Coordinates of all heavy atoms in Angstrom, one line a residue:
T1 N -39.0 -2.7 -19.7 CA -39.0 -3.8 -20.6 C -37.9 -3.6 -21.6 O -37.8 -2.6 -22.3 CB -40.3 -4.1 -21.3 OG1 -41.3 -4.3 -20.3 CG2 -40.2 -5.3 -22.2
V2 N -37.0 -4.6 -21.8 CA -35.9 -4.6 -22.7 C -36.2 -5.6 -23.9 O -36.4 -6.8 -23.6 CB -34.6 -4.9 -22.1 CG1 -33.4 -4.7 -23.1 CG2 -34.3 -4.0 -20.9
I3 N -36.1 -5.1 -25.1 CA -36.5 -6.0 -26.2 C -35.3 -6.2 -27.1 O -34.6 -5.2 -27.5 CB -37.6 -5.3 -27.1 CG1 -38.8 -5.0 -26.2 CG2 -38.0 -6.2 -28.3 CD1 -39.9 -4.2 -26.9
G4 N -34.9 -7.4 -27.4 CA -33.8 -7.8 -28.3 C -34.3 -8.6 -29.5 O -35.5 -8.9 -29.6
P5 N -33.4 -9.0 -30.4 CA -33.8 -9.7 -31.6 C -34.3 -11.1 -31.3 O -35.1 -11.7 -32.1 CB -32.5 -9.7 -32.4 CG -31.4 -9.6 -31.4 CD -32.0 -8.7 -30.4
K6 N -34.0 -11.7 -30.2 CA -34.4 -13.1 -29.9 C -35.3 -13.2 -28.7 O -35.8 -14.3 -28.4 CB -33.1 -13.9 -29.6 CG -32.1 -14.0 -30.7 CD -32.7 -14.8 -31.9 CE -31.6 -15.0 -33.0 NZ -32.1 -15.8 -34.1
G7 N -35.6 -12.1 -28.0 CA -36.4 -12.3 -26.8 C -36.6 -11.0 -26.1 O -36.1 -9.9 -26.5
T8 N -37.4 -11.0 -25.0 CA -37.7 -9.8 -24.2 C -37.4 -10.1 -22.7 O -37.6 -11.2 -22.2 CB -39.2 -9.5 -24.3 OG1 -39.4 -9.2 -25.7 CG2 -39.6 -8.3 -23.5
V9 N -36.9 -9.1 -22.0 CA -36.6 -9.1 -20.6 C -37.4 -8.1 -19.9 O -37.4 -6.9 -20.3 CB -35.1 -9.0 -20.2 CG1 -34.9 -8.9 -18.7 CG2 -34.3 -10.1 -20.8
V10 N -38.2 -8.4 -18.8 CA -38.9 -7.4 -18.0 C -38.1 -7.2 -16.7 O -38.1 -8.1 -15.9 CB -40.3 -7.9 -17.7 CG1 -41.1 -6.9 -16.9 CG2 -41.1 -8.2 -19.0
L11 N -37.5 -6.1 -16.6 CA -36.7 -5.8 -15.4 C -37.6 -5.2 -14.3 O -38.3 -4.2 -14.5 CB -35.6 -4.8 -15.8 CG -34.6 -5.2 -16.8 CD1 -33.7 -4.0 -17.1 CD2 -33.8 -6.4 -16.3
P12 N -37.5 -5.7 -13.1 CA -38.2 -5.2 -12.0 C -37.6 -3.9 -11.5 O -38.2 -3.1 -10.8 CB -38.2 -6.3 -10.9 CG -36.9 -7.0 -11.2 CD -36.8 -7.0 -12.7
E13 N -36.3 -3.7 -11.7 CA -35.6 -2.5 -11.3 C -34.3 -2.4 -12.2 O -34.0 -3.3 -12.9 CB -35.1 -2.6 -9.8 CG -34.2 -3.7 -9.5 CD -33.8 -3.7 -8.0 OE1 -34.4 -3.0 -7.2 OE2 -32.9 -4.5 -7.7
G14 N -33.6 -1.2 -12.1 CA -32.4 -1.1 -12.9 C -32.3 0.1 -13.7 O -31.2 0.3 -14.4
V15 N -33.3 1.0 -13.8 CA -33.3 2.1 -14.7 C -32.8 3.4 -13.8 O -33.4 3.6 -12.8 CB -34.6 2.4 -15.3 CG1 -34.5 3.7 -16.2 CG2 -35.1 1.2 -16.1
M16 N -31.8 4.1 -14.3 CA -31.2 5.2 -13.5 C -30.7 6.2 -14.5 O -30.4 6.0 -15.6 CB -30.1 4.7 -12.6 CG -29.0 3.9 -13.4 SD -27.6 3.4 -12.4 CE -26.6 4.9 -12.5
V17 N -30.7 7.5 -13.9 CA -29.9 8.6 -14.5 C -28.6 8.6 -13.8 O -28.6 8.8 -12.5 CB -30.7 9.9 -14.5 CG1 -29.8 11.0 -15.0 CG2 -32.0 9.8 -15.2
A18 N -27.5 8.5 -14.5 CA -26.2 8.4 -13.8 C -25.8 9.7 -13.1 O -25.9 10.8 -13.6 CB -25.1 8.0 -14.8
A19 N -25.4 9.6 -11.8 CA -24.9 10.7 -11.1 C -23.5 11.1 -11.7 O -22.7 10.2 -12.1 CB -24.7 10.4 -9.6
R20 N -23.3 12.4 -11.9 CA -22.0 12.8 -12.5 C -20.9 12.4 -11.5 O -21.0 12.5 -10.3 CB -22.0 14.3 -12.7 CG -22.3 15.2 -11.6 CD -22.4 16.6 -12.0 NE -23.6 17.0 -12.7 CZ -24.6 17.7 -12.2 NH1 -24.5 18.2 -11.0 NH2 -25.7 18.0 -12.9
H21 N -19.8 11.9 -12.1 CA -18.7 11.3 -11.2 C -17.3 11.4 -11.9 O -17.3 11.6 -13.2 CB -19.0 9.9 -10.8 CG -19.3 9.0 -12.0 ND1 -20.5 9.0 -12.7 CD2 -18.4 8.1 -12.7 CE1 -20.4 8.1 -13.7 NE2 -19.2 7.6 -13.7
I22 N -16.3 11.2 -11.1 CA -14.9 11.2 -11.7 C -14.3 9.9 -11.3 O -14.2 9.6 -10.1 CB -14.1 12.4 -11.1 CG1 -14.7 13.7 -11.4 CG2 -12.6 12.3 -11.7 CD1 -14.0 14.9 -10.7
H23 N -13.9 9.1 -12.3 CA -13.1 7.9 -12.1 C -11.7 8.2 -11.9 O -11.1 9.1 -12.6 CB -13.3 7.0 -13.3 CG -14.6 6.3 -13.5 ND1 -15.1 5.3 -12.6 CD2 -15.6 6.5 -14.4 CE1 -16.3 5.0 -13.0 NE2 -16.6 5.7 -14.0
M24 N -11.0 7.4 -11.1 CA -9.5 7.5 -10.9 C -9.0 6.2 -10.2 O -9.8 5.6 -9.5 CB -9.1 8.8 -10.3 CG -9.6 9.0 -8.9 SD -9.0 10.6 -8.3 CE -10.0 11.8 -9.2
S25 N -7.8 5.9 -10.4 CA -7.2 4.8 -9.7 C -6.6 5.3 -8.4 O -6.5 6.5 -8.1 CB -6.0 4.3 -10.6 OG -5.0 5.2 -10.6
P26 N -6.3 4.4 -7.5 CA -5.7 4.8 -6.2 C -4.5 5.6 -6.3 O -4.3 6.6 -5.6 CB -5.4 3.4 -5.5 CG -6.4 2.5 -6.1 CD -6.5 2.9 -7.5
S27 N -3.6 5.3 -7.3 CA -2.4 6.1 -7.5 C -2.7 7.5 -8.0 O -2.1 8.5 -7.6 CB -1.4 5.4 -8.4 OG -2.0 5.2 -9.7
Q28 N -3.6 7.6 -8.9 CA -4.0 8.9 -9.4 C -4.7 9.7 -8.3 O -4.5 10.9 -8.2 CB -5.0 8.7 -10.6 CG -4.4 8.2 -11.8 CD -5.4 7.8 -12.9 OE1 -6.5 7.4 -12.6 NE2 -5.0 7.8 -14.1
A29 N -5.5 9.1 -7.5 CA -6.1 9.8 -6.3 C -5.1 10.3 -5.4 O -5.1 11.5 -4.9 CB -7.1 8.9 -5.6
A30 N -4.1 9.5 -5.0 CA -3.1 9.9 -4.1 C -2.2 11.0 -4.6 O -1.9 12.0 -3.9 CB -2.2 8.7 -3.7
E31 N -1.9 10.9 -5.9 CA -1.1 11.9 -6.6 C -1.8 13.3 -6.6 O -1.1 14.3 -6.5 CB -0.8 11.4 -8.0 CG 0.2 12.2 -8.8 CD 0.5 11.6 -10.1 OE1 -0.4 11.1 -10.8 OE2 1.6 11.7 -10.6
R32 N -3.1 13.3 -6.7 CA -3.9 14.5 -6.8 C -4.6 14.9 -5.5 O -5.2 16.0 -5.4 CB -5.0 14.4 -7.9 CG -4.3 14.3 -9.3 CD -5.3 13.8 -10.3 NE -4.8 13.8 -11.6 CZ -3.9 13.0 -12.1 NH1 -3.5 12.0 -11.4 NH2 -3.4 13.2 -13.3
G33 N -4.5 14.1 -4.4 CA -5.0 14.4 -3.1 C -6.5 14.2 -3.0 O -7.2 15.0 -2.3
F34 N -7.1 13.2 -3.8 CA -8.5 12.9 -3.7 C -8.7 11.6 -2.9 O -7.8 10.9 -2.7 CB -9.1 12.8 -5.1 CG -9.2 14.0 -5.9 CD1 -8.2 14.3 -6.9 CD2 -10.2 14.9 -5.7 CE1 -8.3 15.5 -7.7 CE2 -10.3 16.1 -6.5 CZ -9.3 16.3 -7.4
H35 N -10.0 11.4 -2.5 CA -10.3 10.1 -1.9 C -11.7 9.7 -2.3 O -12.5 10.5 -2.8 CB -10.3 10.3 -0.3 CG -11.3 11.2 0.2 ND1 -12.6 10.9 0.4 CD2 -11.2 12.5 0.6 CE1 -13.3 11.9 0.9 NE2 -12.4 12.9 1.0
D36 N -11.9 8.4 -2.3 CA -13.1 7.8 -2.7 C -14.3 8.3 -2.0 O -14.3 8.5 -0.8 CB -13.1 6.3 -2.6 CG -14.3 5.6 -3.2 OD1 -14.6 5.9 -4.3 OD2 -14.9 4.7 -2.5
G37 N -15.4 8.7 -2.7 CA -16.6 9.2 -2.1 C -16.6 10.7 -1.9 O -17.6 11.3 -1.5

């Protein structure tokens, strides 16, 4: 349940602990030899 100043939202799903990850653009990935996933 998410509570704000004007109302409340009951979420059926959506709560997570984020998996550690590295963001990069396609050019940065190519430059460094990485690939998505």
Side-chain angles (χ1 to χ4, degrees):
T1 299
V2 184
I3 304 169
K6 299 291 186 179
T8 298
V9 173
V10 179
L11 297 175
E13 62 180 10
V15 181
M16 55 176 274
V17 174
R20 54 184 77 109
H21 56 279
I22 304 173
H23 286 289
M24 60 184 73
S25 67
S27 61
Q28 290 169 333
E31 191 174 35
R32 292 163 173 79
F34 291 100
H35 63 82
D36 186 48

